[in-house]
Amino acid sequence: QKEVEQNSGPLSVPEGAIASLNCTYSDRVSQSFFWYRQYSGKSPELIMSIYSNGDKEDGRFTAQLNKASQYVSLLIRDSQPSDSATYLCAVKTGGYNKLIFGAGTRLAVHP
Amino acid sequence: DADVTQTPRNRITKTGKRIMLECSQTKGHDRMYWYRQDPGLGLRLIYYSFDVKDINKGEISDGYSVSRQAQAKFSLSLESAIPNQTALYFCATSDGGAVYNEQFFGPGTRLTVL
């Protein structure tokens, strides 16, 4: 069974701090990795995609990928209360663009 | 206008009833998916379709069926609803011609089976 694991949280950080969200995956041949943000009762919103080892930055968000360790992370700099949400890690596996989702990490940014 | 729409947004029904959830998209994507989300379990794939003539089961297809009426429309049916099908249901789409095939989600349907 191919799995994607995330700490469920909640991860609580003060406003302005860096939030670090982590994800591990079991399928070594996975090639594409995605982070979605989901507010309570809303649909997942794609915020980052990463395909190569290393870091990818987009505004306050940085995704980090280490395929050797089967590990992907998301850093949120200057965290804001509006960042409070559940963050879903998703891994593309197989040849049919199927995504396997982690259960998500709940982030709470407090003023 | 929303790129991916789902109807209804909320539905309460009784055990044994037939239910259809509908998904439409204006993104021009060829690939469409149905997921369900339960608290603590994340998103699980029910069915997916890569074009009108291609339908595939996901990890939890038992008790569900789908129909791809057109490239833009993908419906999910529960032939005889049961309480453990109470969940949040999401439709998603992706562009098979894109390099990384990111998936984009509709607003969801909250289904309650009594």
Side-chain angles (χ1 to χ4, degrees):
Chain A
Q1 176 71 21
K2 297 169 184 173
E3 295 181 344
V4 177
E5 300 288 339
Q6 294 182 256
N7 188 318
S8 61
L11 173 65
S12 182
V13 300
E15 184 174 357
I18 296 174
S20 177
L21 304 162
N22 304 315
C23 173
T24 59
Y25 60 95
S26 63
D27 186 3
R28 284 197 162 274
V29 300
S30 299
Q31 294 296 316
S32 304
F33 307 86
F34 307 90
W35 283 100
Y36 288 82
R37 178 177 62 199
Q38 186 176 27
Y39 294 111
S40 181
K42 303 297 185 181
S43 61
E45 174 192 9
L46 180 67
I47 55 172
M48 289 289 286
S49 308
I50 188 166
Y51 318 105
S52 303
N53 277 328
D55 295 359
K56 179 182 177 183
E57 186 175 318
D58 184 0
R60 295 187 297 114
F61 298 100
T62 298
Q64 300 175 317
L65 176 60
N66 184 326
K67 290 185 180 179
S69 299
Q70 295 176 240
Y71 177 94
V72 58
S73 64
L74 179 70
L75 302 178
I76 306 175
R77 289 181 300 282
D78 188 24
S79 295
Q80 300 297 309
S82 59
D83 294 326
S84 298
T86 296
Y87 290 80
L88 305 174
C89 174
V91 176
K92 179 182 172 184
T93 185
Y96 287 100
N97 192 30
K98 289 193 291 185
L99 292 184
I100 305 297
F101 284 83
T105 297
R106 189 159 59 92
L107 172 66
V109 181
H110 53 86
Chain B
D1 288 341
D3 292 328
V4 185
T5 58
Q6 292 184 235
T7 56
R9 295 294 312 279
N10 289 282
R11 182 70 183 267
I12 299 173
T13 190
K14 295 182 178 179
T15 297
K17 294 291 187 180
R18 183 179 188 275
I19 296 296
M20 179 179 285
L21 309 182
E22 299 185 334
C23 177
S24 294
Q25 53 112 348
T26 58
K27 298 178 79 69
H29 289 171
D30 52 340
R31 300 181 177 187
M32 299 186 74
Y33 311 80
W34 276 104
Y35 291 89
R36 67 177 277 176
Q37 186 174 38
D38 299 276
L41 293 180
L43 287 156
R44 292 182 292 167
L45 184 63
I46 306 172
Y47 270 95
Y48 61 103
S49 169
F50 281 5
D51 65 37
V52 174
K53 297 180 181 179
D54 177 78
I55 302 289
N56 303 281
K57 292 182 178 180
E59 62 178 303
I60 55 162
S61 59
D62 288 348
Y64 301 95
S65 63
V66 292
S67 173
R68 185 85 183 264
Q69 301 95 323
Q71 186 185 39
K73 297 183 181 295
F74 193 35
S75 299
L76 176 72
S77 293
L78 289 67
E79 296 301 325
S80 180
I82 56 176
N84 77 359
Q85 292 177 314
T86 293
L88 193 53
Y89 289 85
F90 290 105
C91 173
T93 73
S94 70
D95 177 359
V99 176
Y100 300 113
N101 309 133
E102 294 94 339
Q103 293 186 18
F104 299 92
F105 286 81
T109 294
R110 185 171 296 281
L111 176 66
T112 302
V113 183
L114 301 176

